[in-house]
């Protein structure tokens, strides 16, 4: 196998010699030269070929021509970018991201809409409504863009109101009941005031059918958004741009399949736990059978068995208001003030189905039992001041700024684990800290334990962030530019937590009152939050299925899909913690523009070499850990070293941009499975120690003939943990202390090592208009979605056990446009060969032993129409 460093050097050498093409903006023009691309990656407008940053830029025309309807679709064409959406949304750049969607955890990719920072991951997957451009800045952007950009940043810019009356309508239909529409209207109110209104709606019937309910709505689209904009030219030097945004999402979660990845897990044969349906403790199988009843092998690709659940929706409403006041101080200086307010409400939601089947054995929910209709709140208010200027005949340019934000979040969380049983032989071994051995056939005395079956927490978070930043570039010579910058960020995070647990005494009383169970015995195995273990009094012992009998005493009378175990609402655990996290993140770069003599001799039209050193920072936070309260998580820090080359050749018909980089992380924040003192398992965050990424990216645009364009993007990222240890759950569960597992051999989660996309389109001029067929190819190497040590063991044997195999996709699009350019009709087929690949999954092998995940949609086809007025 080719070593990673050698492979990257080879790719760099190939591309320097101009033989490879990649991503950029597909041009509709018949001019053989590529159009200039302007980006604001350094907070000022400049040519992308003169910007010493790895950045991809797509215009609104690019997005439409490629059929990219939202931020998630960008992963098809941007190197090192992965975007997932199911119960929560997640954006990863260069393997760095955050996949849970909890409000307490910051995303690792900063998303900006017209300079307004969107601080939470669940509001970042915007539809491309009236978007002028999207820029994806890869690598940490800690100086100009601040915290939460350890992976990179994404900058969306809207099409601003103009001084002419114009409008457009787009509409489309497709299979699975797809219907969508976009519309925009621009109106000049006066010579100095202009307004614009744009709206978007998309709905379909979903692609996953629940066999129990008999409906096909899982994985549907149901989103609406409206954007109103105002532009006011107050004077020749002063202008105001403002927008108001409302978005609503009401979609059905794509329900999961389930497969068993470790039958020796704690919930199965590791502790010989007996679940509803188990009648022989020597061969417990109910948990496994429940998972496998909903397996892909049994039901097929797009059929599941989950059953009715009122919390299957992703329900989110978002309101944003933003205003940007820009003052042209003089010919060389501009001041900008950005003020923004964002509010979002997230409805009650089913967050996780650990058991993976129709039975309610282990589930997690984003709901409040005190008020089941309570919604999670996310509110923020921010202010940013920027000053851009140039002096000394434009040889010295700079950006200075200050940023402040206050953010509040409220988030309920509930964890349910059904009553379970142990054979007396197993319980005696656990009480003496011994690893359980297989019980005798038929077992001995059945005992049903009260292990806090239901817990509910209310988490509150307030973040107050302040930052100062500055960056300056100096033109040493006509060819050499040096840039240096620094940002200081301080963030005070205040967290408060209330945890309500099951009323163990009330549960025990109901068990005893049934006459089926005796008074509890206390084995001291599962900690202070657990109750006792009730001997079953029935004559047939385990053959009576006593665990099912015990759970039947707590039916779901209110229809919320959760058994009604009584909660102790009078004795909550209360914890509050506050801390200020601060960090200084510097950067420096040097860029060399090829001189004219060298360009003339080489045949290149332009060329630049650059080297960058930069830092990124994610603040620490406090993580709820079951009944044990808040646990401190260290800040995540990254150092990035990057070199790149950007060239144009062949009369500017070929553009090649290459980057190679090395990133070192300290205290990367990763999800793991931990146990609290009551024995409850929970997915929480921990720090991973040290890790690194070595990678390279290539982007090329090429117009080989005037009517043809070719775009290629490739990235190779090699991820490694240098210090990653995790507590062994089994030794904790049996009371043998804390043993650490070395997990440094694992790959990063979600992101593939290799990512390739290739697009080709050809425009034919006819008497009836322009005809443009387009083909896009996408390749992803295998991806790992597991969370713990056993999940990776399963992944090494079979990627589908806890991740996804490598896959390739082909999309086809055919567009007709009339000669006036104001009418267009497109027919498309996405995933032409109906490839099956994963949307996301979550393999947890040590504790529950299962992997749950859903597939991305099958082949999709439809027709889009566009009218300009």
């Amino acid at each position: 196998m080719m070593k990673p460093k050698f492979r990257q050097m080879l790719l760099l050498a190939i591309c320097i010699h101009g033989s490879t093409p990649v991503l950029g903006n597909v041009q509709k023009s018949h001019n053989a030269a590529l159009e200039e691309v302007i980006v604001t990656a350094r907070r000022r407008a400049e040519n992308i070929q003169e910007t010493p940053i790895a950045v991809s830029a797509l215009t609104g025309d690019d997005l439409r021509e490629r059929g990219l309807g939202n931020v998630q679709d960008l992963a098809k064409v941007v190197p090192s970018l992965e975007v997932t959406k199911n119960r929560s949304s997640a954006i990863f750049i260069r393997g760095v991201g955050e996949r849970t969607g909890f409000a307490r955890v910051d995303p690792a990719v900063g998303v900006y809409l017209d300079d307004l920072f969107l601080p939470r991951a669940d509001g970042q997957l915007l539809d491309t409504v009236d978007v002028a451009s999207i820029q994806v800045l890869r690598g940490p952007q800690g100086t100009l863009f601040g915290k939460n950009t350890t992976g990179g940043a994404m900058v969306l810019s809207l099409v601003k109101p103009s001084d002419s009356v114009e409008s457009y309508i787009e509409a489309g239909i497709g299979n699975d009941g797809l219907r969508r529409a976009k519309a925009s209207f621009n109106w000049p109110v006066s010579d100095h005031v202009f307004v614009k209104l744009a709206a978007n709606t998309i709905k379909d019937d979903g692609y996953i059918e629940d066999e129990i309910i008999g409906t096909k709505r899982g994985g549907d689209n149901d989103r609406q958004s409206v954007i109103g904009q105002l532009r006011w030219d107050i004077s020749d030097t002063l202008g105001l741009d403002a927008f108001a945004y409302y978005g609503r999402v009401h979609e059905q979660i794509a329900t999961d399949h389930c497969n068993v990845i470790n039958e020796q897990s704690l919930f199965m044969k590791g502790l010989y736990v007996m679940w509803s349906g188990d009648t022989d403790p020597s061969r417990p199988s109910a948990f496994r059978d429940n998972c496998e009843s909903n397996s892909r092998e049994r039901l097929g690709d797009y059929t599941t068995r989950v059953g009715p659940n009122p919390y299957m929706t992703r329900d989110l409403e978002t309101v944003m208001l933003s205003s940007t006041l820009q003052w042209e101080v003089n010919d060389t200086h501009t001041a900008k003030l950005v003020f923004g307010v964002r509010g979002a409400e997230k409805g009650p939601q089913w967050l996780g189905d650990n058991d993976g089947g129709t039975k309610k054995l282990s589930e997690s929910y984003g709901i409040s039992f005190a008020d089941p209709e309570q919604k999670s709140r996310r509110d923020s208010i921010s202010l940013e001041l920027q000053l851009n200027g140039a002096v000394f005949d434009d040889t010295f340019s700079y950006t200075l700024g200050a940023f402040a934000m206050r953010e509040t979040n409220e988030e309920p969380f509930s964890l349910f684990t059904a009553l379970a049983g142990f054979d007396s032989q197993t319980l005696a071994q656990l009480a003496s800290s011994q690893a359980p051995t297989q019980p005798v056939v038929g077992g001995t005395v059945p005992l049903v334990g009260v292990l806090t079956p239901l817990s509910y927490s209310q988490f509150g978070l307030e973040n107050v962030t302040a930052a100062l930043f500055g960056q300056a570039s100096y033109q040493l010579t006509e060819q050499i530019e040096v840039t240096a910058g620094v940002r200081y960020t301080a963030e005070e995070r205040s967290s408060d937590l209330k945890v309500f647990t099951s009323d163990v005494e009330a549960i025990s009383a109901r068990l005893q009152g049934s006459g089926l169970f005796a008074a509890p015995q206390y084995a001291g195995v599962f900690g202070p939050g657990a109750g006792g273990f009730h001997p079953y009094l029935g004559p047939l012992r385990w053959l009576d299925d006593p665990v099912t009998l015990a759970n039947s005493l707590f039916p779901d009378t209110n229809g919320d899909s959760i058994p009604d175990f009584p909660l102790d609402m009078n004795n909550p655990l209360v914890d509050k913690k506050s801390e200020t996290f601060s960090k200084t993140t510097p950067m420096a770069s040097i860029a060399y523009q090829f001189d004219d003599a060298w360009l003339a001799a080489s045949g290149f039209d332009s060329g630049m070499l650059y080297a960058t050193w930069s830092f990124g920072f994610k603040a620490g936070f406090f993580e709820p850990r079951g009944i044990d309260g808040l646990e401190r998580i260290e800040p995540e820090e990254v150092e990035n070293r990057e070199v790149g080359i950007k060239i144009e050749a062949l009369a500017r018909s070929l553009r090649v941009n290459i980057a190679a980089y090395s990133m070192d992380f300290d205290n990367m924040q990763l999800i793991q499975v931990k146990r609290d003192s009551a024995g409850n398992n929970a997915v929480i965050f921990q720090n991973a120690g040290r890790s690194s990424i070595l990678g390279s990216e290539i982007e090329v645009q090429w117009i080989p003939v005037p009517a043809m364009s070719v775009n290629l993007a490739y990235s190779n990222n090699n991820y490694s943990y240098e210090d990653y240890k995790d507590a062994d759950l089994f030794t904790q569960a049996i009371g043998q202390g804390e043993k650490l597992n070395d997990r440094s051999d694992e790959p990063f989660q979600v992101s593939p090592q290799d990512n390739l996309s290739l697009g080709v389109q050809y425009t034919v001029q006819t008497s009836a208009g322009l005809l443009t067929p387009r083909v896009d190819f996408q390749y992803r190497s295998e991806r790992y979605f597991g969370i713990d040590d056993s999940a990776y063991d399963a992944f090494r044997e079979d990627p589908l056990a806890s991740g996804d195999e490598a896959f390739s996709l082909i999309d086809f699009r055919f567009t007709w446009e009339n000669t006036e350019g104001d009418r267009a009709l497109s027919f498309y087929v996405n995933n032409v060969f109906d490839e099956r690949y994963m949307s996301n999954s979550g393999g947890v092998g040590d504790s529950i032993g299962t992997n749950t995940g859903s597939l991305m949609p099958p082949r999709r086809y439809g027709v889009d129409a566009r009218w300009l007025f």
Side-chain angles (χ1 to χ4, degrees), residues 22 62 78 90 123 186 237 249 303 310 331 344 398 401 426 435 467 490 551 564 644 699 701 710 724 740 795 864:
V22 192
D62 297 331
V78 176
N186 184 89
T237 60
V249 178
T303 303
D331 291 342
Y398 64 90
T426 302
N551 280 289
D564 297 336
E699 297 184 274
Q701 297 172 258
V710 180
Y724 185 17
L740 295 179
F795 177 79
D864 292 333

Side-chain angles (χ1 to χ4, degrees), residues 71 91 105-127 145 147-149 152-156 243 245 318-322 340-344 378-382 384 403 405 407 409:
V71 168
I91 302 175
V105 187
D106 289 337
V109 175
V111 176
Y112 294 78
L113 179 61
D114 267 7
D115 286 320
L116 178 64
F117 176 51
L118 309 184
R120 295 297 117 202
D122 50 22
Q124 291 182 338
L125 296 193
L126 301 172
D127 288 316
F145 290 90
K147 71 184 186 74
N148 305 344
T149 57
M154 189 176 295
V155 180
L156 290 80
F243 75 80
Y245 171 92
T318 303
V319 175
M320 290 185 283
L321 301 173
S322 177
V341 177
R342 179 179 180 269
R378 287 104 162 92
D379 296 296
S380 63
I381 181 169
S382 63
E384 182 166 0
F403 174 81
M405 181 179 71
E407 180 190 12
N409 297 280

Side-chain angles (χ1 to χ4, degrees), residues 99 124 128 172 327 415 457 524 596 615 624 831:
R99 62 187 290 196
Q124 291 182 338
T128 55
W327 177 31
L415 184 65
S457 64
D596 294 339
F615 283 81
N831 191 4

Side-chain angles (χ1 to χ4, degrees), residues 457-634:
S457 64
Q458 184 68 47
F459 181 80
L461 174 67
E462 180 183 49
N463 297 340
V464 178
T465 304
L468 296 173
F469 59 91
Q471 184 168 300
S473 299
Y474 180 60
Q475 202 75 36
L476 286 175
T477 68
E478 289 187 4
Q479 279 73 49
I480 300 176
E481 178 192 74
V482 294
T483 301
V486 66
R487 186 185 191 105
Y488 174 77
T489 302
E491 178 169 278
E492 181 183 11
R493 297 182 76 110
S494 301
S495 301
D496 60 84
L497 177 70
K498 282 187 179 180
V499 181
F500 302 89
T501 59
S502 298
D503 189 334
V504 173
E505 292 183 0
I507 295 172
S508 292
R510 190 178 300 186
L511 290 172
Q512 293 176 71
S514 69
L516 298 173
F517 298 90
Q521 301 174 4
Y522 292 89
V525 179
F526 293 99
F533 294 84
H534 296 256
Y536 174 63
L537 302 176
L540 298 180
R541 295 190 175 184
W542 284 112
L543 290 177
D544 284 336
D545 192 1
V547 179
T548 295
L549 294 174
N551 280 289
S552 69
L553 299 174
F554 303 90
D556 174 21
T557 57
N558 60 7
D560 65 356
S561 83
I562 305 172
D564 297 336
F565 288 96
L567 283 166
D568 182 3
M569 301 299 292
N570 297 318
N571 299 289
L573 169 107
V574 178
D575 198 3
K576 294 184 179 181
K577 290 185 178 176
S578 179
E579 184 173 343
T580 297
F581 299 92
S582 61
K583 185 67 178 176
T584 299
T585 48
M587 68 79 59
S589 72
I590 183 169
Y592 174 76
Q593 298 284 345
F594 298 164
D595 62 41
D596 294 339
W598 191 91
L599 291 173
S602 66
F604 291 158
D605 301 302
S606 70
M608 180 184 71
L609 286 168
Y610 71 89
T612 297
W613 173 68
S614 60
F615 283 81
F617 164 70
K618 269 180 66 176
F621 58 95
F622 297 100
E623 174 80 350
R625 185 170 179 173
I627 69 166
D628 297 331
L630 294 167
E631 180 175 316
R632 185 182 189 274
I633 306 301
E634 295 288 337

Side-chain angles (χ1 to χ4, degrees), residues 191-397:
D191 291 341
H192 303 287
V193 179
F194 318 99
V195 296
K196 191 170 194 178
L197 183 67
N200 173 73
T201 181
I202 178 170
K203 297 186 73 171
D204 62 43
D205 299 332
Y207 61 95
I208 297 178
E209 180 177 356
D210 191 297
E211 190 177 75
I212 296 176
I213 303 175
T215 59
K216 183 180 179 181
R217 192 184 170 218
D220 71 327
N221 290 288
D222 189 351
R223 302 187 302 275
Q224 294 79 43
S225 57
V226 179
I227 299 177
Q229 293 189 76
L230 168 70
R231 176 183 157 204
W232 179 19
D233 293 339
I234 302 172
S235 69
D236 291 340
T237 60
L238 189 64
L240 175 70
D241 286 294
F243 75 80
Y245 171 92
Y246 171 78
R248 177 183 178 273
V249 178
H250 185 72
E251 298 174 337
Q252 193 83 354
I253 294 169
T255 49
D256 297 331
H257 289 113
C258 182
N259 58 284
V260 173
I261 60 176
N262 180 22
E263 202 169 6
Q264 302 304 316
S265 67
L266 299 184
F267 276 25
M268 289 188 255
K269 290 184 178 179
L271 298 181
Y272 285 95
V273 182
M274 300 289 283
W275 299 92
S276 292
D278 279 325
T279 56
D280 183 356
S282 68
R283 294 181 299 170
S285 62
F287 199 90
R288 180 198 67 209
D289 294 344
N290 183 58
C291 167
E292 292 180 342
S293 70
N294 191 29
S295 68
R296 184 178 171 187
E297 290 73 19
R298 176 176 175 177
L299 299 175
D301 289 343
Y302 296 110
T303 303
T304 63
R305 287 180 56 84
V306 173
N309 188 323
Y311 304 118
M312 285 294 296
T313 56
R314 184 192 305 106
D315 195 349
L316 179 69
E317 283 189 280
T318 303
V319 175
M320 290 185 283
L321 301 173
S322 177
S323 62
T324 300
L325 186 66
Q326 185 162 305
W327 177 31
E328 303 291 340
V329 181
N330 53 40
D331 291 342
T332 58
H333 287 77
T334 302
K336 182 187 291 187
L337 182 66
V338 182
F339 173 76
V341 177
R342 179 179 180 269
E345 283 190 341
K346 189 175 183 179
Q349 184 178 313
W350 186 35
L351 297 179
D353 182 17
N354 297 329
D355 58 75
T358 57
K359 291 182 179 180
K360 297 294 186 291
L361 301 180
S362 180
E363 322 258 321
S364 58
Y365 299 84
I367 65 173
S368 163
F369 287 111
D371 179 8
E373 298 302 317
Q374 177 185 344
K375 296 186 177 184
S376 300
R377 288 285 312 174
R378 287 104 162 92
D379 296 296
S380 63
I381 181 169
S382 63
L383 184 68
E384 182 166 0
L385 175 64
Q386 299 174 23
L387 175 64
N388 288 286
V391 293
F392 307 131
D393 294 328
D394 292 340
T395 60
F396 184 88
S397 57

Side-chain angles (χ1 to χ4, degrees), residues 617-666:
F617 164 70
K618 269 180 66 176
F621 58 95
F622 297 100
E623 174 80 350
R625 185 170 179 173
I627 69 166
D628 297 331
L630 294 167
E631 180 175 316
R632 185 182 189 274
I633 306 301
E634 295 288 337
E636 176 180 292
E637 301 174 7
V638 59
E639 179 181 3
N640 178 55
R641 296 162 296 276
E642 183 172 319
V643 295
I645 183 171
K646 298 186 175 187
I647 59 174
E648 290 181 325
L650 306 179
R652 299 191 185 275
S653 66
L654 175 66
R655 182 176 293 154
V656 182
N657 294 342
I658 312 155
Y661 43 88
S662 172
M663 301 167 65
D664 292 328
F665 285 82
D666 285 327

